[in-house]
Amino acid sequence: MTRRAPLTNHRQPWYRKWVLWRRLTATIFLTLLILAQFAWFPWFTGTTSGTNILGVVPIIDPLAAIELLVASHSMPTTIILGAGILILAALLLGPIFCGFICPLGLVLDLNQTVRRVFRKRVLRKTNRIAATNAVPEWSRYALLGILIGFALVTSIPLFQALSPINLFVRALVMGSLSGLVVVGGIMVLEWFVPRVWCRALCPLGACYSIMGQKAIWRVRINPETAGQIRCEQCQIRCPMGIQIMSGYTLPGHESITHPSCIRCGDCIDVCPNSVLGLRLRPFPTDKKTQIDPDVHLPVIQSASKEDVHCSLNKHLA
Amino acid sequence: MNAPMCDDVIQAVPSQEQGLTRRQAIAAGGGIIAGCVMGLGYKAGGRSGDGQLALRPPGALVGDGFLSACIRCGQCVQACPYDTLRLFDLTAGIQAGTPTFTAATNPCWLCQGYDSLKCIDACPTNALSAIDNPVDVRIGLAVINESSCLAYNRTMCRACWHACPYPNQAIVYDDMLRPVVNAEACTGCGLCEHGCPMETKAITIKPLTIVKTSSARRST
């Protein structure tokens, strides 16, 4: 097979912009948490369930605040303030905690990249959505309910004690290493069921999904380029298993409204036609260039990026 | 082979769920009920007294109240200037992430040399409630094992009295110069246990809940 010439109007940079951004922010957050165990860095204390920045600004996990309210019927000002900051951020920006801050998300994301490279280079398999839907997406809402019900009856904030996110951060920050067993277990599990924790199990993610439904910062669809190639790259890559192309980028949608969308930007980075973008406002629509859904366009169902480039070249030629 | 062209039109895809669907609401509601049932089962299993055996930081709510008010953020651990506190790890089950300390190896120094109790300052919830004066701290109660204590066995020893931050108040001497703990004044800081020269400490800090039940049992 000969190597095809690269696509001329391919506007993407060599690096994956959003992947880079979100790994950077998550790494910074984790690094600050780890540094806080040293006496010379007293400005970023705590773990994911409760952090304190500069000794003044409290940041409290909203699920921790809910569990605290249900379990101990108390709501100190610090909690209201700390959770309020995150809830406000989630209302405006969606579940960005999942994509950009969560330390466990960072690890599972890297885990998934390793898995993808291994499958491509070693097993020579393309990454398909395969077993992603083995666990239904609603089970994390059920888990969220279970935690609240449990806290209601027993007055124990169970998720704060046993959440893999907290266990992971505590292992790195406080040295209670036994929590890494759970994290390792999830990492192994995700080689068989990709991103099952974030997509189907994490109650904190469910909490953020509920709050971030009406967020203004979302993956929006450029009507000028949407629906042209139909390469399915976005939905093959989407860690949350959202049917981006078949559900959203065909004409008729302005943005991805699925509550699961964690704003990770993976779909934006893989899109060969710059259809998607993380934006506060919709893409400007120009009636003239809007695509006619009746026009027959090439439909590619191959996962290989080279095939996409090839057909796009053909289409543009 | 060329990529399939226009005759291969995309199949109609089941419409994506827009926003929160009924299924997710049902899942959450069913989860709450299931959680309540699980909680009742957990309570019926008699495991609710787990939180009463550990030594907690100053100002901690007594017993299970602390377990429900603590969000396991670990800020008290990081605030402690003496590195006394540590967090329970996963093996402690539901107590995982709650702070505790071992008096024998590193007791609570009651923030000597500092103007306030740092762990209480750091706590974002009511799990550790404010205490103005370290004298009012009640972590537990020092209990002397009279069979192993040197002073009760014809040996001169004042280690616990010297270690105690409130000597002559919390630990006093009886007429035989043996140490006696004054339950009214003992903060339960554990400095006496730390100072005790015995291999198996002759003076140990017992959590208040245990001390109360055992003394009540004795009196009846």
Side-chain angles (χ1 to χ4, degrees), chain A residues 298-310:
Chain A
V299 173
I300 302 102
Q301 287 176 327
S302 130
S304 151
K305 209 168 181 178
E306 286 177 1
D307 285 349
V308 173
H309 289 179
C310 160

Side-chain angles (χ1 to χ4, degrees), chain A residues 53-102:
Chain A
I53 299 169
L54 297 171
V56 184
V57 187
I59 302 285
I60 305 291
D61 180 353
L63 186 50
I66 293 170
E67 280 188 300
L68 186 71
L69 179 67
V70 172
S72 73
H73 313 292
S74 71
M75 195 52 26
T77 342
T78 332
I79 300 289
I80 296 172
L81 199 68
I85 295 171
L86 285 188
I87 290 172
L88 196 68
L91 287 176
L92 287 175
L93 305 176
I96 47 160
F97 173 83
C98 303
F100 283 78
I101 294 165
C102 182

Side-chain angles (χ1 to χ4, degrees), chain A residues 27-134:
Chain A
T27 312
I28 289 172
F29 179 71
L30 187 57
T31 314
L32 289 174
L33 283 181
I34 292 172
L35 282 182
Q37 65 191 304
F38 302 111
W40 49 266
F41 191 81
W43 303 296
F44 209 85
T45 54
T47 57
T48 34
S49 57
T51 317
N52 197 311
I53 299 169
L54 297 171
V56 184
V57 187
I59 302 285
I60 305 291
D61 180 353
L63 186 50
I66 293 170
E67 280 188 300
L68 186 71
L69 179 67
V70 172
S72 73
H73 313 292
S74 71
M75 195 52 26
T77 342
T78 332
I79 300 289
I80 296 172
L81 199 68
I85 295 171
L86 285 188
I87 290 172
L88 196 68
L91 287 176
L92 287 175
L93 305 176
I96 47 160
F97 173 83
C98 303
F100 283 78
I101 294 165
C102 182
L104 187 68
L106 174 71
V107 168
L108 297 180
D109 188 39
L110 292 172
N111 183 44
Q112 210 60 29
T113 305
V114 172
R115 175 184 182 272
R116 188 158 48 232
V117 170
F118 177 80
R119 280 169 61 91
K120 240 178 205 164
R121 299 271 159 84
V122 182
L123 303 181
R124 298 188 174 280
K125 284 181 180 171
T126 49
N127 200 12
R128 280 271 170 186
I129 333 172
T132 309
N133 291 319

Side-chain angles (χ1 to χ4, degrees), chain A residues 5-11 224-225 228-229 272-274 291 296-298 300 307-317, chain B residues 5:
Chain A
L7 200 64
T8 42
N9 75 333
H10 191 54
R11 283 184 290 164
E224 289 186 22
T225 47
Q228 284 181 353
I229 315 181
N273 206 16
S274 308
I291 200 126
H296 287 298
L297 287 166
I300 302 102
D307 285 349
V308 173
H309 289 179
C310 160
S311 70
L312 191 60
N313 275 332
K314 213 179 268 176
H315 169 61
L316 293 169
Chain B
M5 292 301 278

Side-chain angles (χ1 to χ4, degrees), chain B residues 5-216:
Chain B
M5 292 301 278
C6 30
D7 47 359
D8 195 12
V9 172
I10 283 265
Q11 290 290 307
V13 179
S15 65
Q16 282 280 293
E17 290 151 16
Q18 304 286 319
L20 275 187
T21 58
R22 187 180 294 166
R23 183 190 290 168
Q24 285 150 351
I26 291 171
I32 290 177
I33 295 164
C36 287
V37 172
M38 283 165 67
L40 288 174
Y42 178 84
K43 268 192 164 174
R47 298 275 311 280
S48 57
D50 280 351
Q52 307 191 346
L53 296 172
L55 295 181
R56 299 300 187 187
L61 298 172
V62 179
D64 285 342
F66 181 74
L67 274 185
S68 51
C70 173
I71 61 165
R72 281 90 165 147
C73 67
Q75 290 186 49
C76 50
V77 175
Q78 288 175 330
C80 181
Y82 290 93
D83 284 335
T84 293
L85 298 174
R86 62 181 176 84
L87 294 183
F88 275 116
D89 64 1
L90 183 60
T91 49
I94 56 153
Q95 288 195 69
T98 54
T100 185
F101 68 95
T102 316
T105 50
N106 196 353
C108 174
W109 299 78
L110 297 172
C111 282
Q112 292 173 28
Y114 296 88
D115 49 357
S116 62
L117 295 162
K118 296 296 175 189
C119 49
I120 298 177
D121 290 348
C123 184
T125 73
N126 290 332
L128 305 181
S129 46
I131 292 178
D132 292 333
N133 193 337
V135 177
D136 301 326
V137 169
R138 292 291 177 272
I139 294 168
L141 181 64
V143 176
I144 297 172
N145 181 352
E146 293 176 7
S147 63
S148 65
C149 175
L150 290 176
Y152 283 82
N153 289 283
R154 302 174 190 172
T155 311
M156 197 63 202
C157 178
R158 292 177 163 192
C160 53
W161 185 88
H162 279 295
C164 183
Y166 304 108
N168 289 338
Q169 297 164 44
I171 295 182
V172 294
Y173 288 125
D174 67 359
D175 48 3
M176 301 278 286
L177 283 180
R178 299 177 301 194
V180 174
V181 176
N182 177 12
E184 301 282 294
C186 177
T187 58
C189 64
L191 278 161
C192 50
E193 184 175 341
H194 181 63
C196 180
M198 301 299 289
E199 189 116 336
T200 46
K201 302 293 183 181
I203 185 165
T204 48
I205 305 296
K206 303 288 183 204
L208 283 176
T209 40
I210 296 182
V211 178
K212 270 179 191 155
T213 40
S214 59
S215 60

